[in-house]
Amino acid sequence: EPEVTQTPSHQVTQMGQEVILRCVPISNHLYFYWYRQILGQKVEFLVSFYNNEISEKSEIFDDQFSVERPDGSNFTLKIRSTKLEDSAMYFCASSEGRLAENQETQYFGPGTRLLVL
Amino acid sequence: KNEVEQSPQNLTAQEGEFITINCSYSVGISALHWLQQHPGGGIVSLFMLSSGKKKHGRLIATINIQEKHSSLHITASHPRDSAVYICAVTSGSRLTFGEGTQLTVNP
């Protein structure tokens, strides 16, 4: 069964360093998402992406964050200068169609656990 | 106030019991999702519904759009059902999540 994959599974970085989290969505999916979950808290939306553009972003997704689809398969989240509070589990997800219009199901990756020291 | 509220926060049951988890939301939505998060962190989509009721195996999800309320039921619960169950709503191109319900089913 097709699945969303994410690398790395764990990442430890120093405050101020740049990190890139990678995701490979399901191959025929067109909509891509990043979420984060701080330990012990609920999952929060970061950004949605379609047709090489950001569709929607949350208040969390400030100038320190960026997303990119550098080729036909990868979808990346970059944090330019990490802060302690960026420590969280980051989930990538994808869907075949747009959530609101087609009531699509999202498929989640296993997550990348980011620890900023 | 959270846009998506779940109850209870924690639930402990004995194997075989019928379980209900509730979700209320305060925003306009196009769909509601029930998700399962395992101890390792992985998230699996269980149901997506916009009206009525859906059933998959021992799981049943219902939604009342007028009352902005949904329930997830588990019949004949089993220890392997132990997980966090999360209600999330679709609004625009984002999901907004509830806090989750930690379910523990004891043998």
Side-chain angles (χ1 to χ4, degrees):
Chain A
E1 185 174 325
E3 58 182 16
V4 178
T5 60
Q6 289 185 243
T7 54
S9 58
H10 294 78
Q11 172 105 39
V12 181
T13 190
Q14 294 290 325
M15 190 169 56
Q17 294 295 304
E18 173 183 287
V19 295
I20 297 176
L21 310 182
R22 292 184 166 79
C23 168
V24 179
I26 293 172
S27 61
N28 64 331
H29 285 187
L30 300 177
Y31 293 80
F32 315 114
Y33 315 85
W34 282 103
Y35 298 89
R36 79 170 185 192
Q37 185 176 32
I38 295 170
L39 188 64
Q41 297 186 21
K42 66 180 179 180
V43 180
E44 299 172 290
F45 169 80
L46 291 177
V47 66
S48 59
F49 190 87
Y50 168 72
N51 198 26
N52 283 319
E53 286 185 347
I54 290 175
S55 306
E56 193 169 350
K57 60 182 181 179
S58 72
E59 312 70 42
I60 303 166
F61 194 89
D62 61 22
D63 292 344
Q64 292 299 312
F65 291 89
S66 63
V67 289
E68 193 178 30
R69 188 148 161 86
D71 52 43
S73 59
N74 289 283
F75 178 52
T76 62
L77 174 69
K78 182 193 291 186
I79 309 175
R80 270 182 257 286
S81 178
T82 49
K83 307 187 198 65
L84 297 176
E85 54 265 36
D86 293 327
S87 296
M89 179 80 98
Y90 288 81
F91 292 101
C92 173
S94 69
S95 64
E96 193 172 348
R98 186 167 180 264
L99 287 186
E101 291 172 358
N102 300 318
Q103 300 181 2
E104 292 283 336
T105 297
Q106 285 190 7
Y107 295 83
F108 288 81
T112 293
R113 191 171 295 282
L114 176 65
L115 179 61
V116 182
L117 302 176
Chain B
K1 187 182 186 302
N2 290 329
E3 293 178 333
V4 181
E5 300 255 3
Q6 285 186 237
S7 62
Q9 282 188 310
N10 294 281
L11 182 55
T12 301
Q14 288 301 121
E15 184 173 355
E17 284 185 6
F18 181 83
I19 286 160
T20 296
I21 299 169
N22 295 299
C23 175
S24 297
Y25 54 92
S26 58
V27 295
I29 68 169
S30 56
L32 183 141
H33 304 249
W34 282 102
L35 309 159
Q36 182 189 54
Q37 186 169 29
H38 291 282
I43 296 174
V44 175
S45 181
L46 298 174
F47 292 104
M48 189 277 300
L49 65 165
S50 56
S51 64
K53 178 178 171 179
K54 286 190 177 179
K55 184 175 189 293
H56 186 252
R58 295 180 294 105
L59 302 179
I60 303 166
T62 63
I63 188 168
N64 184 319
I65 297 290
Q66 286 72 35
E67 295 186 4
K68 295 187 175 175
H69 181 269
S70 174
S71 293
L72 176 68
H73 306 285
I74 305 176
T75 61
S77 59
H78 190 276
R80 65 174 175 266
D81 296 327
S82 297
V84 176
Y85 291 84
I86 303 171
C87 172
V89 298
T90 303
S91 180
S93 62
R94 66 168 72 187
L95 285 182
T96 301
F97 295 78
E99 302 275 350
T101 295
Q102 173 70 62
L103 172 66
T104 304
V105 182
N106 294 317

